[in-house]
Structures are given as C-alpha cells and as structure tokens.
Amino acid sequence: MLGSEGRAASAGRGVYYEGMRDPLQLLTRWVRRHWRWVGPILLFLVATGFLASLQWNTMFADPDSFYHVKMALLIRDHGVVHDFPWLAFTNFPERFVDQHFLYHVALIPFVSLFPPLVGGKVATVTFAGLFAVTFYLLLRSFRVRFAFALTLLLLTINPFTFRLSLTKAPGVSLILLFAIIAALFHYRPRWVFALCFIYGWFYGGSPLALVV
C-alpha cells in the first residue's frame, strides 16, 4: 500500500511521463492546424530534394539545356536576341524567334548567381518544386482527397520525372498550364487572359492553352 506521499509521487511521475508525450501531440496539432501553408512548403522541400538528387551530376540529359543556358546569358549581357547566326544551315539566321523568351528571362537570376551550367540545374530543381506545389494546390482547390499523397505519387512516375528534370521549358510551362486550368474553373477571365499571354511568351507549345 502506498502512503499519501507515495501516491502523490506516483501521480507526479504519471503526469511527468504524460508531459513527455505532449511536445509530439502539440506538434501534430500545430501541423494540422496550419496545414494550409505547411503542406505546400513541405511538398516544395520534398520535391526539390528529390529532383536535386537526380541533378547531382556533371551532365545534362538533353543537349538543348546548353542552348537555354546560353540564351539566358545572351539576353542578360546583350538584351533581347533578334539574330541567331550560329546555326547557318537552318532557317534560324533568317527567321529567328525566341519561342521560350520568358523562360530564358527566368533563368537569368540563376545563371548569374551560380556558374551558368550549375545555375541551370538549380533553376530546374526550383521550377520542379514550384510545379509540385502548383499541382497540389490545384488538386486541393478541387477538394481532391489525398492531394498531398497523389502529388508525391506523380513524382515517382519515371517518364514524367525525367521530363521535369530537364533544363527545358516544358516542365516549367506546366505551372502556367495548371494555373490557367484553375482560373478557368474558378471563372477568373482576367487571370485566364493574363496567364495565356504570359504562356505564349514562355513556351512554344502555348497553343495547348487553346485545347484546355
């Protein structure tokens, strides 16, 4: 039989051990309460970490990446490129149009802050993380269940992840395409017009917006 002091000590120990579980419970409650913005941030970190592991090498999977990085440098140093005489045996010297103009502009901060080729990889990882967040927010806006898990599942599909990991405009253009879809379904005609305008300057495959 425990005396009153023993029971108090035992009770005290019980309170103490319960208190040891409180931080985890508090953290869980806090995450649930703030999941609206914790979810996108966590997803961005997971996606960029995963894509960074794929980019952790000294090569590009597609030679077009060198062109995009160089175009960003040319625009940074000389302004908008109107002539492209380096491909003499194509129609570029006569009728050159930068069909990925805004993508090249978006690359400029990355190729300026880092060595150009490294900056191209950093930009690719960053844009991939933003795409993951955009896709997740699109699913959540439609009240799709398990939106977070479905977004993670998308990143495990090898052909899609391969395209997303290329230093090219198509991966980034998906951000704008999904934003256009969201604006359409939420009846935001001004946003649709603005996003379609930007999309046209960002990616040569912008007619996809008409299909949507």
Side-chain angles (χ1 to χ4, degrees):
M1 296 290 294
L2 291 174
S4 60
E5 291 184 1
R7 286 194 296 273
S10 177
R13 286 196 296 272
V15 171
Y16 175 76
Y17 287 125
E18 278 194 27
M20 291 295 291
R21 292 194 295 269
D22 283 345
L24 182 58
Q25 293 174 355
L26 289 173
L27 177 61
T28 303
R29 291 173 184 171
W30 183 86
V31 169
R32 289 177 178 174
R33 190 180 305 118
H34 298 91
W35 184 251
R36 185 177 184 84
W37 58 269
V38 171
I41 293 176
L42 180 60
L43 189 58
F44 178 82
L45 294 176
V46 171
T48 53
F50 175 59
L51 267 296
S53 69
L54 300 179
Q55 293 287 342
W56 202 262
N57 52 60
T58 57
M59 62 182 183
F60 285 112
D62 191 306
D64 286 359
S65 304
F66 296 99
Y67 161 76
H68 292 301
V69 170
K70 185 61 178 181
M71 283 297 296
L73 293 172
L74 288 173
I75 294 173
R76 182 197 66 182
D77 297 336
H78 305 288
V80 179
V81 178
H82 297 286
D83 301 308
F84 203 89
W86 299 280
L87 294 178
F89 299 105
T90 69
N91 61 356
F92 269 27
E94 300 175 3
R95 300 182 182 87
F96 176 72
V97 175
D98 188 357
Q99 60 178 336
H100 303 109
F101 174 68
L102 287 183
Y103 174 65
H104 295 147
V105 171
L107 287 177
I108 290 176
F110 297 95
V111 300
S112 300
L113 292 173
F114 302 93
L117 297 182
V118 175
K121 287 179 171 286
V122 174
T124 301
V125 171
T126 303
F127 295 148
L130 292 175
F131 161 77
V133 171
T134 303
F135 182 74
Y136 166 69
L137 293 177
L138 179 66
L139 294 182
R140 198 170 72 176
S141 70
F142 294 143
R143 302 184 183 278
V144 176
R145 297 183 64 187
F146 310 115
F148 191 90
L150 290 173
T151 305
L152 292 179
L153 181 63
L154 178 63
L155 295 177
T156 65
I157 300 175
N158 188 51
F160 178 79
T161 305
F162 172 75
R163 295 292 298 176
L164 198 63
S165 65
L166 298 178
T167 305
K168 299 177 69 172
V172 190
S173 71
L174 289 175
I175 297 174
L176 289 168
L177 186 61
F178 286 136
I180 291 170
I181 292 173
L184 281 170
F185 276 90
H186 290 89
Y187 305 103
R188 302 290 177 85
R190 293 182 181 178
W191 277 103
V192 171
F193 176 81
L195 289 168
C196 286
F197 179 81
I198 296 172
Y199 193 38
W201 285 92
F202 217 101
Y203 177 48
S206 56
L208 282 172
L210 298 176
V211 178
V212 172

